[in-house]
Structures are given as structure tokens and as C-alpha cells.
Amino acid sequence: MTVREGSLEAPTRHALDWKNPAFYDEAALNKELERVYDICHGCRRCVSLCGAFPTLFDLVDNGPTGELDGVPKEKFKDVVDQCYLCDMCFMTKCPYVPPHPWNLDFPHLMLRAKAVYHQQGRTKGSDEFLTSTDKVGMFAGIPIVTQTINAVNRMPVARKVVERQFGIHRDAWMPSFAPKKFTAAAASNTAAAVQDGAKTPGKVAIYSTCYVNYNEPGIGHDLVKVLEHNAIPYVIVEKAACCGMPKLEIGDLDAVERLKNANMPQLAQLAREGWAIVTPIPSCTLMYKQELPLMFPQDADVQAVKAAMWDPFEYLVARNKDGLLKTDFKQSLGTVSYHIPCHGRVQNIGRKTEEFLKLTPDIKLTTVERCSGHSGLWGTRVEYHAMAMKIGKPVFKRMAEAQPDFISSDCQLAGHHIEQGIASFSRDALGGKTPVNAHPLTLVRIAYGID
């Protein structure tokens, strides 16, 4: 291998050429997979990140030649199926990303492969259904229906049926449906914006995300309470569609475009009116900051929304640096084990949640910056749940070692996955405690002393 050229230059992402018919040419795809797999096989730096790289290396090592030419092309998909698009290989490990002349973008090559397989009709029907979050979420907001579904989903017999019908492992954590949607319960508060020469926008538009709207609206309400405590006006983005990340992860790029077209008019208007658009779930933030801009680089609305999109703690820390945030915290959070999710790290904003939590009084904070292994739908699948728990084991161990009062992750799905992993530790190992799983926004609300 050659020494990396331009190694002092920052990595860059190329636009995704998904409208080009050649993008879906399977022969061309296999040629590129072969090129990249061969480079990865020679490097092996990413072996510890996820299941994709060990799968690739085992295919090579167990083949008749010990090289990539001994791997049948029909096995290339085995590697693709292990990738859940966390982006960590591109962001933290690979020395051959652009501007290196080898031009490796492993996650977007996996995305291309998923798109080709999806166009060929090779996506499971259960994945098509489960990634249609607005359709699945229609059960939320109907109290009797949600109570029934949530009760059934907790029954072992029912989980066996779900496993058989939908491929969701019977032991994997599943979210409950909320009896009342966040957007139905929350009201906008458009009091006069407080600017005082601030660099950050003095008003916030809350894009609640499917998960907060349908499953855990309390996270959204905690964000509202934090904004109100700091006299920051806000509006609720109503009738918003899914951000498209679930469809992206199965390669359904046409569905991503349809969702973009549904969301972009109102989001772009808010962006141009000077609102900071805040999303409580990092995967959704990343979708608007990175994936949609790379899919639609010439779309002015997409670029405007990208510029206006904020992680909630990125926004709160910026407001604090402008001297416009209250730090009148009344309650200590005690010992907190905090996990930085992959889709938070990829945003390149630094450890903003950690920075903010350290403002709270007498906190004992342990920060773990490593993949939890959940990765949305992938980690719940029968085929991959054991691997998801294996990937997350170092995170579970590190967070449990602190014997925390709270465990927390910006990605609430990861938080529940970690909670499930930590539950396997003995009470003695946890200092006799049962840690409470709480989103960082909930922790901030508690620290402020807000009911």
C-alpha cells in the first residue's frame, strides 16, 4: 500500500449520484465492491467497528485463495447486510477517504448496494413495513388501541408471533406507542425572540421526529420546558413526515425523495425566516445535515435547511456561549453514564451534550464514545440481535462500571439497548442500584428543577 496522499487535508464527501442509471448497474456495483473490499482486506483497520468487516475478512480468509478473488460475488451481499450506515469507518478509521486518490466511502458504497438490491426487489416485506414509520405510528394517539398493542407486545407468546411474522427478535427491546402524540399535545410559544446580539438564532422550530412524536413524546415536552425556562420562543413543526433515515437504511431512495418533498417546503420556509430547526434524535438531525444535502446538492431548500439544522445541545451550548442561557440548576444529577451515539459523532460538532451536562452541579459524569450496536431496525432483527448485543458489550460494561444513577444517550433507541445490556449485570456490580434510563434533555429538565 502507498502512503496516503493529502493526509493533512480534511475528509470530504462526494454527492451521491443516485439519479444516474449507472448507479444501479449491478456489474458496475460489483466491480466497485471488489475494488473497495480488496483495499479493506489489505488494511483491516476497521475490524472492530461492526460485523461488516469481520464478515468480509472471514470470507476472504476461508476462501480457496486467501484473497478476494476466491470470494463468490453472490457473497458480497453478506457484507452489505451487516452494515447499518453508522458512518464510523469513514469518520474515524479509514485512511483512504477522499481526497486520497483511492477515494473510499465505504458507507455510501454500502448504501449504493442496498439501493441496487432494493430496486431488484430483494428487500424484505417486513423491512418495508417497519421502516414506514408514519404508517406504523398511526396507532399512536389512540389510547385504547395503544394500551392494547403495548400490552400484547409485552407478552412472550405475542413476541414469538412478532418474531415469526416480522423478524424482530423476541428478546430485542421494542418501543411502546404513546397514548397522545407530541405534536397533538404540544403548543407553539411564539413570544418575542430574545436576541441581544446573539450569534445563535433566538427562536426554535421543533421537528419532533417520528420516535418522539409516536413513541416517547416526553422527550419533546422536556425540550419545550427547557426552551421555556430560557425564554426561547418556539414553534412545533406540525404534520411533518419521517425524515427518511429508515428508508435510507434499506436503500429505498425514491421513498427518501418523497419524504423530502413532503417536509422541505415548511422546513425551508422556517429556515429562511431565521428559525433554528432542532431535532431531538441525532439520526434525524444527521439526515438533514448530511444525507439529504449529499443526495440533493443542487436543491436550494435542502441546503437552506442544512444550514438551519441544530442538534439540541449544539444549540444550547451556543446560546450559553452567547451569555443567553440560564444556568440556575437546582438539582444534582448524581452519577451519570452518558453514551455518545454514532450519528451524533458523525455531525462533527464535538461533545456538546457532555459539555452541557458538566454545567450541572456536582455531577459525576462518565462519557462513552463507542457504538452501542443498536442501529435502529438492524439490531432488532433475528439475524443480527446477538451481534448487536456483542457490539454493545464494551459500552454496557463501561457504563455499568460507574454504578450510575442515570444512563443516557442522545439516541433513545441506543439508550434502551444499553439499558437492556446493563440489566444483565448483577446488583452488586451496579452498587445495588437500578440505573434510570433518561434522555439528556430529560436530565437537563431535572437539573433545572422543572416538574
Side-chain angles (χ1 to χ4, degrees):
M1 291 189 175
T2 61
V3 176
R4 177 176 174 176
E5 297 177 23
S7 59
L8 298 180
E9 297 180 52
T12 185
R13 302 301 285 268
H14 297 312
L16 197 68
D17 193 22
W18 70 284
K19 291 285 191 179
N20 187 338
F23 184 85
Y24 297 94
D25 183 285
E26 187 171 15
L29 167 66
N30 283 335
K31 184 176 180 180
E32 181 64 4
L33 287 171
E34 190 170 21
R35 182 185 79 87
V36 170
Y37 284 176
D38 192 46
I39 294 172
C40 293
H41 154 57
C43 175
R44 303 204 172 199
R45 185 173 178 175
C46 295
V47 66
S48 63
L49 285 181
C50 66
F53 297 99
T55 297
L56 169 61
F57 305 149
D58 285 347
L59 286 171
V60 173
D61 294 343
N62 296 328
T65 67
E67 298 290 343
L68 193 68
D69 60 8
V71 178
K73 287 186 172 55
E74 58 266 23
K75 289 291 186 179
F76 285 4
K77 186 175 182 294
D78 293 356
V79 180
V80 177
D81 289 342
Q82 289 283 349
C83 176
Y84 40 83
L85 303 179
C86 73
D87 251 14
M88 282 296 99
C89 55
F90 185 96
M91 295 300 301
T92 68
K93 291 284 188 179
C94 183
Y96 307 118
V97 299
H100 191 282
W102 286 358
N103 190 30
L104 260 69
D105 188 336
F106 191 90
H108 276 179
L109 178 58
M110 297 297 99
L111 175 59
R112 178 185 177 186
K114 290 173 187 288
V116 171
Y117 302 148
H118 183 273
Q119 191 181 72
Q120 294 173 346
R122 298 166 69 180
T123 303
K124 293 180 180 179
S126 58
D127 285 357
E128 293 278 12
F129 173 73
L130 293 169
T131 56
S132 300
T133 53
D134 289 318
K135 291 181 180 178
V136 177
M138 70 181 183
F139 297 114
I142 310 173
I144 295 177
V145 174
T146 57
Q147 290 169 12
T148 302
I149 293 175
N150 293 340
V152 169
N153 281 342
R154 289 191 291 268
M155 298 170 58
V157 173
R159 288 302 303 267
K160 291 180 181 178
V161 175
V162 171
E163 180 179 281
R164 187 167 58 251
Q165 296 296 322
F166 296 99
I168 298 177
H169 196 287
R170 67 189 67 181
D171 296 330
W173 174 84
M174 284 177 57
S176 298
F177 290 106
K180 193 168 186 179
K181 298 176 185 178
F182 170 73
T183 52
S188 298
N189 183 342
T190 55
V194 180
Q195 293 286 351
D196 294 340
K199 297 178 183 178
T200 47
K203 52 186 183 180
V204 167
I206 301 174
Y207 177 86
S208 63
T209 77
C210 298
Y211 184 79
V212 169
N213 195 28
Y214 302 137
N215 303 112
E216 291 197 47
I219 296 170
H221 292 301
D222 287 338
L223 173 57
V224 164
K225 290 175 181 179
V226 170
L227 294 176
E228 288 180 340
H229 185 75
N230 286 282
I232 300 172
Y234 61 87
V235 294
I236 309 299
V237 180
E238 298 180 355
K239 298 181 180 179
C242 173
C243 70
M245 180 62 82
K247 290 300 184 184
L248 185 86
E249 291 177 345
I250 64 168
D252 189 354
L253 302 185
D254 289 330
V256 172
E257 182 173 33
R258 289 193 294 271
L259 293 166
K260 184 270 294 183
N261 291 341
N263 285 319
M264 207 47 63
Q266 58 179 330
L267 292 179
Q269 181 178 346
L270 289 165
R272 292 191 171 101
E273 290 174 355
W275 295 83
I277 306 173
V278 171
T279 59
I281 301 296
S283 295
C284 305
T285 317
L286 180 67
M287 194 69 186
Y288 287 101
K289 280 188 174 185
Q290 173 177 289
E291 301 302 342
L292 288 175
L294 289 173
M295 286 181 67
F296 305 96
Q298 305 304 319
D299 189 316
D301 285 351
V302 170
Q303 300 303 324
V305 171
K306 172 186 176 180
M309 189 65 57
W310 295 74
D311 169 90
F313 286 93
E314 178 190 16
Y315 179 83
L316 293 173
V317 166
R319 292 292 284 176
N320 186 51
K321 288 180 178 178
D322 291 335
L324 296 170
L325 201 79
K326 295 180 180 179
T327 55
D328 55 339
F329 300 108
K330 295 179 174 59
Q331 184 170 329
S332 172
L333 297 171
T335 303
V336 177
S337 286
Y338 162 64
H339 167 255
I340 305 176
C342 298
H343 282 177
R345 296 169 67 187
V346 174
Q347 293 177 42
N348 276 328
I349 59 174
R351 297 182 169 193
K352 299 304 183 188
T353 304
E354 176 192 64
E355 185 177 343
F356 192 92
L357 290 176
K358 285 181 175 179
L359 298 174
T360 65
D362 303 320
I363 189 172
K364 296 179 180 178
L365 185 65
T366 296
T367 300
V368 179
E369 191 173 25
R370 182 166 178 162
C371 181
S372 73
H374 186 274
S375 60
L377 180 62
W378 183 90
T380 69
R381 304 299 301 182
V382 171
E383 309 96 304
Y384 309 122
H385 180 62
M387 175 63 78
M389 297 302 290
K390 180 180 179 180
I391 292 171
K393 192 172 182 179
V395 175
F396 310 154
K397 181 180 179 181
R398 181 74 181 91
M399 294 183 77
E401 284 174 347
Q403 299 183 349
D405 300 299
F406 292 99
I407 57 173
S408 189
S409 176
D410 301 280
C411 174
Q412 191 69 342
L413 295 175
H416 285 290
H417 185 66
I418 294 166
E419 181 181 31
Q420 183 179 6
I422 286 179
S424 64
F425 290 79
S426 69
R427 285 185 59 81
D428 288 340
L430 292 167
K433 298 177 180 178
T434 301
V436 175
N437 175 29
H439 191 276
L441 288 168
T442 302
L443 295 181
V444 172
R445 190 261 301 162
I446 292 171
Y448 273 131
I450 305 170
D451 293 330

